[in-house]
Amino acid sequence: MKLGIVGLPNVGKSTLFNAITHAGAEAANYPFCTIEPNVGVVAVPDERLDRLAKLYSSKKVTPAVVEFVDIAGLVKGASRGEGLGNKFLSNIREVDAIVHVVRCFEDENITHVENSVDPVRDIETINLELILADIEAVQKRLDRIRNAARGGADKSAAAEYAFLEKLLKHLEEERPASSLALTDDEKPLLDNLFLLTAKPVIYCANIRESDMGKPEDSLPFVCAVKQYASAHNAETVVVCAETEEELAQMDEQDRALFLEEFGLKESGLDKLIKASYSLLGLISYLTAGEKETRAWTIVNGTKAPQAAGKIHTDFEKGFIRAEVVDYETLLACGGLAGAREKGKVRSEGKDYVMKDGDVVLFRFNV
C-alpha cells in the first residue's frame, strides 16, 4: 500500500513525514524494497503478530507495511508550474490513496501562505490544482484518440471519446473524478487514466499539542474538515504532527505512558494507517511458525489461491487447499496442533474467500 502525503507549505506535512520516517521499519527487513529519500516505510500496527510470535517462539516477525511518499511542490498554481510545478505529478499518480494534511491550529510563529488559517479553503486550493492537472491529462487523451473516434467506425474509440467528454465537463465544473457517476463500462476507462482526483482521500487534521485529548467536536477547525470530508465521501483522521514526531523517537514504554497522559489508546500515525487500510478495503491474513510470523496484505474478497500467490506464484499455480483457523481460536487452542485435535482447523478449497485474521497453512504441488 502506497500513500501520497500532500498539503500546502507550513501545514505540518514535513513534520508528519519526519514522524513516519523515524517510526519507519528498516528497508533491509523487506526484500527487493528500494527506499527513496522521500519514501518512508512503516509497519501496520497488529498486536496479533506479537502474540503469535510468542506462541511459536518465532525467530522473525514481519508485519505488513505501508509506504508513505512525501509529495512536494503543491502550492497554488502548481498545475501551471508554480512552486516545483508538475514535478509532483509522477509521484502522486503512482500512489493508491492521498493523505491530505490540513492545518487546524493557530500559531503566530508559523506563517501561513494565505496569512490566515482556513482548512476548507486550503483543501479546495489543493483540490483545484489536482483537478486542473486531471483536466490537462484528459484533454491530452482526447487529442490522442480524436481521429480514431471520428465517424464511429472504431466503436471502442468512439465510446471512450464520449466518456472523456463527459468526464472533462465534470472536471471543468471543479468536481473531482471520484464524484462522477459511472457505468460498468466506464469504470475501466477511468481507471486507465490514473487521475489524481479519482484516488481515495484521507484528510489529516493537524492540531496543536494543547488540543490533544479534547473532544473533536469542540475543535472548530477539525469540525470544518470533518464536515467537508463527509460531504465528499472521504475519511478524516486527527493528529498532532509535532507530537507524532516526538512519539516516533520514544521507546514503547514511554510512548504508552505519554498516550495514557492524554487519554489516548493509540498514536495518530497508527490511526492513520488503520484508516488507510479500511479506506482501500485491505485485510491481513497471517502465517506463523518457528522461523517467521508474518502478516500478508490482500484486498478484502480475495480467494485462497490468489492469497497464496502473495507468498509465491508457485503457491497459486499448484494450489491444493488451505488449512485455516482464525487467530483467536488458534491462541485458545495453544497452536495448530491443539486446534487440529479439537477439530478447529478447516480445509478450504479454491473458492474460499479469505477473512481478516485467518492463520493459514497452504498446501500446494508444482
Side-chain angles (χ1 to χ4, degrees), residues 71-247:
I71 296 164
L74 269 176
V75 294
K76 196 173 190 176
S79 59
R80 300 190 306 275
E82 298 292 329
L84 294 180
N86 288 335
K87 190 178 178 183
F88 71 91
L89 290 178
S90 60
N91 282 336
I92 203 171
R93 290 204 191 280
E94 294 170 2
V95 302
D96 300 305
I98 292 170
V99 175
H100 187 156
V101 183
V102 190
R103 179 169 164 175
C104 291
F105 63 89
E106 298 271 13
D107 189 332
E108 59 185 25
N109 297 315
I110 303 174
T111 58
H112 190 289
V113 288
E114 297 288 348
N115 297 314
S116 64
V117 177
D118 183 341
V120 171
R121 176 202 60 207
D122 293 353
I123 287 170
E124 290 178 339
T125 296
I126 294 286
N127 286 351
L128 180 58
E129 295 307 319
L130 300 181
I131 287 169
L132 292 171
D134 281 352
I135 286 172
E136 187 180 342
V138 172
Q139 286 173 330
K140 282 181 181 175
R141 181 63 186 162
L142 276 166
D143 292 341
R144 202 171 295 131
I145 67 165
R146 183 171 280 111
N147 289 338
R150 265 187 194 142
D154 185 334
K155 290 185 178 177
S156 65
E160 184 183 356
Y161 195 87
F163 164 69
L164 291 171
E165 286 189 312
K166 180 172 89 168
L167 174 60
L168 183 61
K169 183 175 183 293
H170 184 82
L171 291 168
E172 285 175 340
E173 291 168 356
E174 297 186 5
R175 293 189 287 169
S178 59
S179 65
L180 179 64
L182 300 171
T183 66
D184 289 341
D185 291 334
E186 290 171 340
K187 283 174 186 174
L189 295 175
L190 181 65
D191 291 342
N192 290 339
L193 291 167
F194 299 101
L195 296 183
L196 309 179
T197 63
K199 297 181 185 296
V201 180
I202 291 177
Y203 290 106
C204 190
N206 183 21
I207 61 173
R208 60 190 170 194
E209 190 171 298
S210 58
D211 286 335
M212 284 180 63
K214 291 182 181 177
E216 290 176 6
D217 58 8
S218 71
L219 305 172
F221 290 146
V222 170
C223 289
V225 173
K226 289 179 81 170
Q227 191 174 352
Y228 182 93
S230 177
H232 292 82
N233 297 314
E235 299 278 332
T236 305
V237 173
V238 180
V239 303
C240 173
E242 191 177 8
T243 303
E244 291 302 316
E245 192 173 15
E246 292 171 26
L247 281 169

